[in-house]
Amino acid sequence: MSASLFTPDHRLAPYWWDRVPRPALFATGLSARVDVLVVGSGYTGLQAALQTARAGRDTLVLDAEDAGWGCSTRNGGQISTSVKPGYAALARRHGAGRAREIVQEGQRSLSWFGEFVAAEAIECDFRVVGRFHAAHNAVQFGRLVQAAEQQPPGLAVEVRVVTRAEQRMELGSDAYWGGVVYPRHASVDPARYHQELLARVQAAGARVVGRCPVTRVERDGAGFRVTSALGTVRARDVVIATNGYTGALTPWLRRRVIPIGSYIIATEPLQPELMRRLMPKNRIVSDTRKVVFYYRASPDQRRILFGGRVSVSETDPRVSGPLLHADLVKVFPELAHTRISHSWCGFVAYTFDELMHIGRHDGMHYATGYCGSGVGMGSYLGMRLGQQVLGLPEGRTAFDGLGFRTRPFYFGRPWFLAPSIRYFRWRDRQAF
Ligand SMILES: Cc1cc2nc3c(=O)[nH]c(=O)nc-3n(C[C@H](O)[C@H](O)[C@H](O)COP(=O)(O)OP(=O)(O)OC[C@H]3O[C@@H](n4cnc5c(N)ncnc54)[C@H](O)[C@@H]3O)c2cc1C
């Protein structure tokens, strides 16, 4: 590793935390009884808490770390329709009707997010900048064009094909074979959004406490007895919102989510002229690789935030940073001598069917498994989950009752990940 790749003042923490440090929400004790206890203070937990607190339910949110410490203040801040499987694959698995509903739910999550930040006047650098989805080879470009031209009737979204010859108008790189632009996809400062959401939740009367791991949840009559580092709380309803950090507390869920590391670096500030050349339209960017690169400009348009899956279980950003830098230079060779100011990682939750899941198990409510796309969808399903806790009909989603499968011999440690990622990397290097 070359030490000079890092700026002298580099931080091994999310770039977003410079502007929005983790809040100090400590407590010395908890109430003996609440209506709703939420485990996890990311977007899922806070959106659920916002619903229940505003409906007058005494709501307590506990996080094992500082509030928002998980993915919700570490992510790339890219917002899309979030559902990975396409309509045809979903229709084969779930039938045409359910497939249509799932695709529409993804589209709704994107439009709902914009409406939510506008209605709540949330200041979080939310911008509908559009996504450039780049093809990493010619075959993939053909697939993108075909998918854009043959969208299922009634489910079409706005999309524009960009040829390789036009590519420089979207991105200052020749590393791709063209791509497509989704003009409605958006960007946000994820930590500012989290901070503002937290403030709304507290203003609604909910209590949010950090550094208080929940260690046990047991049935207690019609409700639950919850054991935490700060004592025992009785709760009528429990919401599990632990996503990629799901652990021994909920073994059933742990067998169903696959924690996968995702990694980001921020560059040192770049010259405005260079930024205009590399990111001429300030789009968010992703590519067709299975082991995807995703990147964007910082909200002040001075840096590039570049993310990917450079490792399987590495949690040392000193190691992942230089690997990501090498990938960054593949896309933008002129950044070969640009240094890294921040390097960090987090754990997203994948599922075996690549879909998000919401429901109830052993009486506890949960929403999880956003497969790396949880800014919009985690917020949206958190909101729906809160409505489900309240028993409201509008809490219904297209994901209800889908069936949440695990696999034999999987207990929460993804032993198959290293060979899978090696295989996908090999595939990404082939011309198909
Ligand atoms: C590097 C990276 C980049 C990403 N980029 C994007 C992107 O550009 N766009 C996008 O849509 N998504 C992205 N994601 C995914 C997105 O951030 C997540 O899907 C989303 O934030 C999940 O929110 P959540 O509230 O469900 O979980 P989290 O925000 O992860 O919160 C879970 C919380 O549960 C807490 N917890 C766990 N166990 C316990 C316990 N026993 N007791 C108390 N608390 C507990 C944890 O401490 C944690 O704070 C990215 C993720 C990462 C890591």
Side-chain angles (χ1 to χ4, degrees), residues 6 105 205 257 290 336:
F6 289 96
E105 199 83 280
V257 297
K290 227 11 206 167

Side-chain angles (χ1 to χ4, degrees), residues 184-208:
R184 294 192 54 219
H185 292 193
S187 66
V188 72
D189 176 327
R192 286 191 83 199
Y193 162 54
H194 182 270
Q195 182 187 41
E196 293 261 308
L197 180 58
L198 176 63
R200 301 299 183 283
V201 169
Q202 291 170 316
R207 189 165 182 220
V208 182

Side-chain angles (χ1 to χ4, degrees), residues 12 42 48 83 110 174 197 229 305 370:
L12 302 175
V83 175
L110 173 64
D174 298 319
L197 180 58
L305 310 180
Y370 311 115

